[in-house]
Amino acid sequence: MKQAVISGTGLYTPPYAISNQELVTCFNAYARQFNADHAAAIEAGTLAAIEESSAEFIEKVSGIKSRFVMEKAGILDPQRMVSQIPERDDDTISLQAEMAVAAATQALARAGRSAADVDMVLVACSNLQRPYPAMAIEVQQALGIDGYGFDMNVACSSATFAIQTAAAAVQSGQARAVLVLNPEITSGHLNWRDRDSHFIFGDACTALVIEERGAATSAHQFEILGTKLKTSFSNNIRNNFGFLNRFDESGNGAPDKLFHQLGRKVFRDVCPMAAEMIKQGIGAAGLEVAQVSRYWLHQANLNMNLLITRMVLGRDAVDLEAPVILDTYANTSSAGSIIAFHQHQDDLPSGAHGVICSFGAGYSIGCVVLRKL
Protein backbone atom coordinates (compact mmCIF):
# COMPACT_ATOMS: atom_id res chain seq x y z
CA MET A 1 0.00 0.00 0.00
CA LYS A 2 1.24 3.50 -0.79
CA GLN A 3 2.27 5.77 2.05
CA ALA A 4 0.49 9.11 2.51
CA VAL A 5 2.06 12.32 3.76
CA ILE A 6 0.88 15.79 4.66
CA SER A 7 3.10 17.92 2.44
CA GLY A 8 1.64 21.40 2.87
CA THR A 9 -0.56 23.45 5.16
CA GLY A 10 -2.34 26.77 4.74
CA LEU A 11 -4.27 29.20 6.92
CA TYR A 12 -6.73 31.96 6.12
CA THR A 13 -7.25 34.41 8.99
CA PRO A 14 -10.23 36.79 8.70
CA PRO A 15 -9.53 40.53 8.67
CA TYR A 16 -11.32 41.46 11.90
CA ALA A 17 -10.42 40.64 15.50
CA ILE A 18 -12.69 41.06 18.52
CA SER A 19 -11.13 41.27 21.98
CA ASN A 20 -12.83 39.94 25.08
CA GLN A 21 -13.35 43.50 26.28
CA GLU A 22 -15.06 44.55 23.05
CA LEU A 23 -17.33 41.53 23.27
CA VAL A 24 -18.14 42.17 26.93
CA THR A 25 -18.91 45.84 26.34
CA CYS A 26 -21.52 44.87 23.74
CA PHE A 27 -22.93 41.97 25.74
CA ASN A 28 -23.30 44.01 28.91
CA ALA A 29 -25.05 46.81 27.01
CA TYR A 30 -27.49 44.22 25.68
CA ALA A 31 -27.95 42.70 29.16
CA ARG A 32 -28.68 46.06 30.76
CA GLN A 33 -31.22 46.94 28.07
CA PHE A 34 -32.88 43.53 28.34
CA ASN A 35 -33.15 43.81 32.12
CA ALA A 36 -34.59 47.32 31.86
CA ASP A 37 -37.12 46.31 29.22
CA HIS A 38 -38.29 43.34 31.29
CA ALA A 39 -37.94 44.85 34.74
CA ALA A 40 -41.50 44.04 35.77
CA ALA A 41 -41.28 40.36 34.82
CA ILE A 42 -37.88 40.07 36.49
CA GLU A 43 -39.25 41.68 39.64
CA ALA A 44 -42.20 39.28 39.57
CA GLY A 45 -39.90 36.31 39.24
CA THR A 46 -41.35 35.12 35.94
CA LEU A 47 -38.20 35.98 33.96
CA ALA A 48 -34.55 35.71 34.92
CA ALA A 49 -32.33 38.74 34.62
CA ILE A 50 -29.28 38.44 32.38
CA GLU A 51 -26.06 38.53 34.36
CA GLU A 52 -23.35 40.77 32.99
CA SER A 53 -19.99 39.31 31.97
CA SER A 54 -16.33 40.32 32.14
CA ALA A 55 -13.17 39.83 30.12
CA GLU A 56 -11.56 38.18 33.14
CA PHE A 57 -14.38 35.65 33.43
CA ILE A 58 -14.06 34.67 29.77
CA GLU A 59 -10.31 34.14 29.97
CA LYS A 60 -10.57 32.20 33.22
CA VAL A 61 -13.14 29.68 31.99
CA SER A 62 -11.79 29.26 28.45
CA GLY A 63 -8.28 30.64 27.98
CA ILE A 64 -9.62 32.81 25.12
CA LYS A 65 -8.51 36.43 24.82
CA SER A 66 -9.76 37.33 21.34
CA ARG A 67 -11.12 35.85 18.13
CA PHE A 68 -11.19 36.59 14.38
CA VAL A 69 -14.45 37.04 12.49
CA MET A 70 -15.50 37.74 8.93
CA GLU A 71 -17.42 40.87 10.02
CA LYS A 72 -17.47 42.51 13.44
CA ALA A 73 -19.61 45.68 13.35
CA GLY A 74 -22.86 43.70 13.37
CA ILE A 75 -21.66 41.46 16.20
CA LEU A 76 -20.75 44.47 18.35
CA ASP A 77 -24.06 46.24 17.77
CA PRO A 78 -26.19 45.50 20.89
CA GLN A 79 -29.33 45.88 18.78
CA ARG A 80 -28.19 43.23 16.26
CA MET A 81 -25.41 40.98 17.68
CA VAL A 82 -24.74 38.99 14.52
CA SER A 83 -22.48 39.67 11.55
CA GLN A 84 -23.96 41.69 8.71
CA ILE A 85 -22.67 40.30 5.41
CA PRO A 86 -24.64 40.84 2.18
CA GLU A 87 -25.87 37.73 0.41
CA ARG A 88 -24.02 37.02 -2.83
CA ASP A 89 -25.62 36.11 -6.13
CA ASP A 90 -25.18 32.62 -7.52
CA ASP A 91 -22.54 33.71 -10.03
CA THR A 92 -20.22 35.17 -7.37
CA ILE A 93 -17.90 32.86 -5.45
CA SER A 94 -19.39 31.89 -2.09
CA LEU A 95 -17.93 33.32 1.11
CA GLN A 96 -16.94 29.89 2.41
CA ALA A 97 -15.40 28.90 -0.92
CA GLU A 98 -13.45 32.16 -1.03
CA MET A 99 -11.91 31.40 2.36
CA ALA A 100 -11.08 27.86 1.24
CA VAL A 101 -9.39 29.03 -1.96
CA ALA A 102 -7.16 31.41 0.02
CA ALA A 103 -6.05 28.69 2.45
CA ALA A 104 -5.66 26.14 -0.36
CA THR A 105 -3.39 28.46 -2.34
CA GLN A 106 -1.03 28.68 0.64
CA ALA A 107 -1.04 24.94 1.20
CA LEU A 108 -0.35 24.16 -2.45
CA ALA A 109 2.57 26.61 -2.50
CA ARG A 110 4.07 25.09 0.65
CA ALA A 111 3.69 21.61 -0.83
CA GLY A 112 5.27 22.70 -4.11
CA ARG A 113 2.12 21.63 -5.95
CA SER A 114 -0.35 23.16 -8.36
CA ALA A 115 -3.99 22.52 -9.11
CA ALA A 116 -2.90 20.13 -11.88
CA ASP A 117 -1.44 17.78 -9.25
CA VAL A 118 -4.68 17.45 -7.25
CA ASP A 119 -7.39 14.87 -7.97
CA MET A 120 -9.68 15.33 -4.98
CA VAL A 121 -11.05 18.20 -2.87
CA LEU A 122 -12.60 17.65 0.55
CA VAL A 123 -14.40 20.49 2.35
CA ALA A 124 -14.86 19.33 5.92
CA CYS A 125 -16.34 21.66 8.53
CA SER A 126 -19.02 22.07 11.19
CA ASN A 127 -21.39 24.27 9.22
CA LEU A 128 -21.77 24.35 5.46
CA GLN A 129 -23.05 27.48 3.79
CA ARG A 130 -25.63 25.53 1.79
CA PRO A 131 -26.75 21.94 1.19
CA TYR A 132 -25.81 21.86 -2.51
CA PRO A 133 -24.04 22.14 -4.85
CA ALA A 134 -21.16 20.93 -2.72
CA MET A 135 -18.80 23.64 -1.52
CA ALA A 136 -15.91 21.36 -2.47
CA ILE A 137 -17.01 21.34 -6.11
CA GLU A 138 -17.16 25.13 -6.16
CA VAL A 139 -13.64 25.30 -4.72
CA GLN A 140 -12.52 22.70 -7.28
CA GLN A 141 -13.81 24.90 -10.09
CA ALA A 142 -12.29 28.06 -8.62
CA LEU A 143 -8.86 26.44 -8.42
CA GLY A 144 -9.11 24.72 -11.81
CA ILE A 145 -8.79 21.16 -10.47
CA ASP A 146 -9.73 18.33 -12.82
CA GLY A 147 -11.02 15.69 -10.45
CA TYR A 148 -13.80 15.39 -7.91
CA GLY A 149 -14.84 16.85 -4.58
CA PHE A 150 -17.37 16.47 -1.82
CA ASP A 151 -18.33 17.93 1.54
CA MET A 152 -18.36 16.22 4.92
CA ASN A 153 -19.36 17.22 8.42
CA VAL A 154 -18.26 15.63 11.67
CA ALA A 155 -18.43 18.89 13.63
CA CYS A 156 -15.16 19.81 15.35
CA SER A 157 -13.59 16.51 14.26
CA SER A 158 -14.20 17.17 10.57
CA ALA A 159 -10.52 17.82 9.80
CA THR A 160 -9.17 14.61 11.32
CA PHE A 161 -11.93 12.50 9.77
CA ALA A 162 -11.14 14.14 6.43
CA ILE A 163 -7.42 13.36 6.83
CA GLN A 164 -8.33 9.69 7.18
CA THR A 165 -10.55 9.88 4.08
CA ALA A 166 -7.86 11.67 2.08
CA ALA A 167 -5.10 9.31 3.20
CA ALA A 168 -7.19 6.31 2.18
CA ALA A 169 -7.73 7.81 -1.29
CA VAL A 170 -3.98 8.32 -1.71
CA GLN A 171 -3.06 4.92 -0.31
CA SER A 172 -5.48 3.15 -2.64
CA GLY A 173 -4.38 5.10 -5.70
CA GLN A 174 -7.76 6.79 -6.06
CA ALA A 175 -6.06 10.21 -5.94
CA ARG A 176 -2.51 11.44 -6.40
CA ALA A 177 -3.05 14.40 -4.08
CA VAL A 178 -5.99 15.60 -1.99
CA LEU A 179 -6.86 19.06 -0.71
CA VAL A 180 -8.51 18.99 2.71
CA LEU A 181 -10.17 22.32 3.53
CA ASN A 182 -11.79 23.46 6.78
CA PRO A 183 -13.61 26.78 6.23
CA GLU A 184 -15.23 27.56 9.56
CA ILE A 185 -17.58 30.55 9.80
CA THR A 186 -18.56 29.71 13.37
CA SER A 187 -19.79 33.26 13.97
CA GLY A 188 -22.85 32.21 11.98
CA HIS A 189 -23.98 29.50 14.43
CA LEU A 190 -23.04 31.29 17.65
CA ASN A 191 -25.64 32.82 19.96
CA TRP A 192 -23.94 36.13 20.77
CA ARG A 193 -26.63 36.81 23.40
CA ASP A 194 -25.82 33.74 25.50
CA ARG A 195 -23.48 34.61 28.38
CA ASP A 196 -22.19 31.05 28.70
CA SER A 197 -21.15 30.63 25.07
CA HIS A 198 -21.02 33.99 23.25
CA PHE A 199 -17.22 34.16 23.57
CA ILE A 200 -16.35 30.62 22.47
CA PHE A 201 -15.96 30.72 18.68
CA GLY A 202 -13.99 32.45 15.95
CA ASP A 203 -13.75 32.20 12.17
CA ALA A 204 -10.84 30.76 10.15
CA CYS A 205 -10.01 28.34 7.36
CA THR A 206 -7.22 25.77 7.20
CA ALA A 207 -5.93 23.65 4.33
CA LEU A 208 -3.85 20.49 3.98
CA VAL A 209 -2.26 18.81 0.97
CA ILE A 210 -2.11 15.04 1.36
CA GLU A 211 -0.24 13.02 -1.27
CA GLU A 212 1.83 9.91 -1.88
CA ARG A 213 5.16 9.95 -0.09
CA GLY A 214 7.07 8.70 -3.12
CA ALA A 215 5.91 11.62 -5.24
CA ALA A 216 6.12 14.40 -2.67
CA THR A 217 8.88 16.98 -3.04
CA SER A 218 8.00 19.36 -0.20
CA ALA A 219 10.47 20.20 2.54
CA HIS A 220 7.62 20.03 5.06
CA GLN A 221 6.47 16.42 4.93
CA PHE A 222 4.77 14.49 7.72
CA GLU A 223 4.11 10.81 7.15
CA ILE A 224 0.68 9.65 8.33
CA LEU A 225 1.52 6.64 10.51
CA GLY A 226 -2.03 5.93 11.55
CA THR A 227 -5.48 7.32 12.22
CA LYS A 228 -8.09 6.41 14.78
CA LEU A 229 -11.69 7.62 14.72
CA LYS A 230 -14.57 7.23 17.17
CA THR A 231 -18.14 8.50 17.45
CA SER A 232 -20.61 8.14 20.30
CA PHE A 233 -24.01 9.81 20.17
CA SER A 234 -24.67 12.64 22.62
CA ASN A 235 -27.07 15.60 22.80
CA ASN A 236 -24.70 17.56 25.03
CA ILE A 237 -23.50 19.63 22.04
CA ARG A 238 -26.23 20.33 19.54
CA ASN A 239 -27.53 22.67 16.83
CA ASN A 240 -31.07 22.06 15.52
CA PHE A 241 -30.93 24.39 12.53
CA GLY A 242 -31.92 22.69 9.29
CA PHE A 243 -34.23 22.68 6.32
CA LEU A 244 -36.97 20.86 8.22
CA ASN A 245 -37.35 23.86 10.53
CA ARG A 246 -39.81 25.35 8.06
CA PHE A 247 -42.23 22.51 8.86
CA ASP A 248 -42.87 24.10 12.27
CA GLU A 249 -42.72 27.89 12.25
CA SER A 250 -43.11 28.06 16.04
CA GLY A 251 -39.46 27.13 16.47
CA ASN A 252 -38.06 29.81 14.16
CA GLY A 253 -35.49 31.94 15.96
CA ALA A 254 -35.40 29.70 19.03
CA PRO A 255 -32.03 29.36 20.82
CA ASP A 256 -31.79 25.66 19.95
CA LYS A 257 -31.39 26.61 16.27
CA LEU A 258 -27.91 27.88 17.18
CA PHE A 259 -24.99 26.24 18.98
CA HIS A 260 -25.82 25.14 22.51
CA GLN A 261 -24.12 22.78 24.90
CA LEU A 262 -24.03 21.41 28.42
CA GLY A 263 -20.44 22.45 28.99
CA ARG A 264 -19.72 20.64 32.25
CA LYS A 265 -21.06 17.36 30.91
CA VAL A 266 -18.99 17.78 27.73
CA PHE A 267 -15.88 18.41 29.81
CA ARG A 268 -16.54 15.35 31.97
CA ASP A 269 -17.32 13.04 29.03
CA VAL A 270 -14.88 14.14 26.35
CA CYS A 271 -11.60 14.60 28.22
CA PRO A 272 -11.12 10.93 29.20
CA MET A 273 -12.40 9.76 25.80
CA ALA A 274 -9.91 11.97 23.95
CA ALA A 275 -7.00 11.00 26.20
CA GLU A 276 -7.74 7.31 25.74
CA MET A 277 -8.04 7.70 21.96
CA ILE A 278 -4.68 9.46 21.81
CA LYS A 279 -3.00 6.68 23.77
CA GLN A 280 -4.65 4.02 21.63
CA GLY A 281 -3.63 5.81 18.44
CA ILE A 282 -0.03 6.09 19.58
CA GLY A 283 0.05 2.42 20.51
CA ALA A 284 -1.52 1.33 17.21
CA ALA A 285 1.25 3.21 15.39
CA GLY A 286 3.83 1.13 17.24
CA LEU A 287 4.97 3.98 19.48
CA GLU A 288 5.14 4.81 23.16
CA VAL A 289 3.80 8.05 24.60
CA ALA A 290 7.35 9.06 25.50
CA GLN A 291 8.25 9.01 21.78
CA VAL A 292 5.71 11.72 20.90
CA SER A 293 7.09 15.26 20.92
CA ARG A 294 4.00 17.28 20.13
CA TYR A 295 0.23 17.23 20.52
CA TRP A 296 -1.78 19.49 18.22
CA LEU A 297 -5.11 19.36 20.04
CA HIS A 298 -8.52 20.73 19.18
CA GLN A 299 -8.62 24.30 20.46
CA ALA A 300 -11.92 24.40 22.31
CA ASN A 301 -11.00 25.17 25.89
CA LEU A 302 -7.62 25.58 27.56
CA ASN A 303 -8.67 23.70 30.70
CA MET A 304 -9.79 20.72 28.61
CA ASN A 305 -6.45 20.58 26.81
CA LEU A 306 -4.50 20.86 30.05
CA LEU A 307 -6.44 17.94 31.50
CA ILE A 308 -6.21 15.78 28.37
CA THR A 309 -2.43 16.17 28.11
CA ARG A 310 -2.11 15.48 31.82
CA MET A 311 -4.10 12.27 31.40
CA VAL A 312 -1.94 11.20 28.43
CA LEU A 313 1.45 12.18 29.81
CA GLY A 314 0.90 11.59 33.51
CA ARG A 315 2.14 15.14 34.10
CA ASP A 316 1.58 18.67 32.87
CA ALA A 317 2.72 19.38 29.32
CA VAL A 318 5.78 21.60 29.04
CA ASP A 319 6.96 24.18 26.51
CA LEU A 320 5.47 23.45 23.10
CA GLU A 321 4.34 19.89 23.75
CA ALA A 322 0.74 21.03 23.29
CA PRO A 323 0.76 24.45 21.57
CA VAL A 324 -2.13 26.82 22.23
CA ILE A 325 -3.64 29.11 19.61
CA LEU A 326 -7.14 29.52 21.02
CA ASP A 327 -6.04 32.55 23.04
CA THR A 328 -6.00 34.57 19.80
CA TYR A 329 -8.22 32.48 17.48
CA ALA A 330 -10.74 31.11 20.03
CA ASN A 331 -12.50 27.86 19.11
CA THR A 332 -12.46 27.58 15.32
CA SER A 333 -14.07 24.15 15.36
CA SER A 334 -12.39 21.73 12.92
CA ALA A 335 -9.75 24.30 11.97
CA GLY A 336 -8.31 24.65 15.48
CA SER A 337 -6.01 21.63 15.66
CA ILE A 338 -4.82 22.35 12.12
CA ILE A 339 -4.01 25.98 12.96
CA ALA A 340 -1.89 24.67 15.83
CA PHE A 341 -0.22 22.20 13.45
CA HIS A 342 0.33 24.87 10.78
CA GLN A 343 1.92 27.33 13.20
CA HIS A 344 3.93 24.89 15.33
CA GLN A 345 5.58 22.29 13.11
CA ASP A 346 8.71 23.77 11.54
CA ASP A 347 10.82 23.58 14.70
CA LEU A 348 10.47 19.80 14.94
CA PRO A 349 13.51 17.78 13.81
CA SER A 350 13.34 15.02 11.24
CA GLY A 351 12.05 11.82 12.83
CA ALA A 352 9.97 13.60 15.47
CA HIS A 353 6.50 12.26 16.17
CA GLY A 354 3.32 14.21 16.77
CA VAL A 355 -0.43 13.71 17.16
CA ILE A 356 -3.29 15.77 15.76
CA CYS A 357 -6.40 15.18 17.85
CA SER A 358 -9.85 16.71 17.56
CA PHE A 359 -13.00 16.18 19.58
CA GLY A 360 -16.46 17.65 19.62
CA ALA A 361 -20.15 17.27 18.88
CA GLY A 362 -21.38 13.84 18.06
CA TYR A 363 -19.50 12.98 20.18
CA SER A 364 -16.71 12.60 17.64
CA ILE A 365 -12.99 12.11 18.20
CA GLY A 366 -10.27 11.84 15.59
CA CYS A 367 -6.60 11.07 16.18
CA VAL A 368 -3.82 11.23 13.53
CA VAL A 369 -0.27 10.08 14.34
CA LEU A 370 2.51 11.70 12.30
CA ARG A 371 6.26 11.44 11.78
CA LYS A 372 8.24 14.33 10.37
CA LEU A 373 10.37 13.29 7.40
Side-chain angles (χ1 to χ4, degrees):
M1 182 180 291
K2 298 177 180 178
Q3 293 176 300
V5 298
I6 298 174
S7 59
T9 58
L11 169 63
Y12 170 79
T13 300
Y16 305 104
I18 297 178
S19 69
N20 285 350
Q21 190 55 56
E22 287 179 294
L23 204 59
V24 164
T25 298
C26 175
F27 179 83
N28 289 349
Y30 161 73
R32 288 191 292 270
Q33 187 62 55
F34 178 93
N35 293 340
D37 291 344
H38 300 87
I42 292 171
E43 178 68 21
T46 58
L47 185 68
I50 296 178
E51 182 183 355
E52 294 189 19
S53 189
S54 71
E56 295 75 21
F57 162 76
I58 292 173
E59 186 173 352
K60 179 181 179 180
V61 300
S62 67
I64 297 168
K65 299 178 181 179
S66 65
R67 69 285 297 145
F68 292 97
V69 293
M70 297 302 289
E71 195 276 337
K72 68 183 286 186
I75 294 171
L76 297 181
D77 178 357
Q79 303 303 314
R80 179 180 174 85
M81 297 181 78
V82 66
S83 292
Q84 190 165 19
I85 301 175
E87 187 172 339
R88 300 180 178 185
D89 63 66
D90 290 352
D91 294 325
T92 301
I93 189 170
S94 304
L95 181 63
Q96 208 165 27
E98 184 177 34
M99 297 168 67
V101 167
T105 301
Q106 285 187 28
L108 286 169
R110 187 169 170 86
R113 292 300 183 193
S114 69
D117 301 309
V118 178
D119 294 323
M120 176 179 170
V121 179
L122 266 178
V123 167
C125 56
S126 287
N127 295 279
L128 291 159
Q129 186 172 335
R130 60 171 183 265
Y132 46 82
M135 199 61 59
I137 301 175
E138 184 177 7
V139 174
Q140 175 194 349
Q141 180 191 49
L143 291 171
I145 292 172
D146 181 18
Y148 64 100
F150 58 92
D151 300 340
M152 59 186 296
N153 178 356
V154 202
C156 293
S157 295
S158 295
T160 49
F161 277 61
I163 290 172
Q164 156 64 29
T165 303
V170 169
Q171 291 163 348
S172 68
Q174 184 74 27
R176 294 168 299 159
V178 182
L179 265 174
V180 171
L181 307 168
N182 317 110
E184 294 286 7
I185 311 178
T186 60
S187 55
H189 78 191
L190 183 55
N191 185 351
W192 298 95
R193 291 188 168 99
D194 177 31
R195 183 180 183 271
D196 291 335
S197 67
H198 74 113
F199 54 85
I200 291 178
F201 289 102
D203 301 337
C205 180
T206 48
L208 300 167
V209 175
I210 297 174
E211 60 179 316
E212 182 190 350
R213 177 179 177 179
T217 60
S218 168
H220 314 284
Q221 296 181 46
F222 283 81
E223 182 182 2
I224 299 172
L225 297 181
T227 57
K228 197 164 186 64
L229 312 176
K230 182 178 180 62
T231 54
S232 177
F233 186 76
S234 170
N235 279 317
N236 289 334
I237 311 173
R238 194 171 177 110
N239 183 336
N240 289 327
F241 182 79
F243 70 93
L244 294 185
N245 295 158
R246 64 197 294 259
F247 288 3
D248 183 359
E249 294 84 352
S250 66
N252 290 348
D256 76 306
K257 304 307 186 294
L258 297 169
F259 167 87
H260 55 285
Q261 69 170 353
L262 299 174
R264 292 183 179 179
K265 289 186 177 181
V266 172
F267 193 102
R268 181 195 64 201
D269 293 347
V270 169
C271 288
M273 289 172 61
E276 183 60 27
M277 279 283 289
I278 290 171
K279 290 188 285 188
Q280 289 180 14
I282 291 171
L287 302 173
E288 302 288 339
V289 169
Q291 294 176 271
V292 177
S293 303
R294 189 147 301 170
Y295 297 88
W296 300 285
L297 301 181
H298 172 46
Q299 304 287 306
N301 180 287
L302 180 59
N303 296 313
M304 289 185 75
N305 286 10
L306 291 174
L307 178 57
I308 289 168
T309 51
R310 191 177 302 126
M311 296 174 78
V312 171
L313 299 171
R315 57 172 174 78
D316 290 337
V318 297
D319 298 330
L320 282 176
E321 275 186 301
V324 174
I325 59 91
L326 90 163
D327 54 341
T328 53
Y329 278 85
N331 181 348
T332 53
S333 192
S334 67
S337 59
I338 309 303
I339 297 175
F341 176 58
H342 173 75
Q343 293 188 342
H344 297 283
Q345 60 170 268
D346 287 347
D347 62 308
L348 289 175
S350 177
H353 297 98
V355 174
I356 299 174
C357 182
S358 60
F359 37 87
Y363 295 126
S364 59
I365 302 176
C367 181
V368 182
V369 182
L370 304 173
R371 176 172 59 220
K372 187 169 184 180
L373 299 177

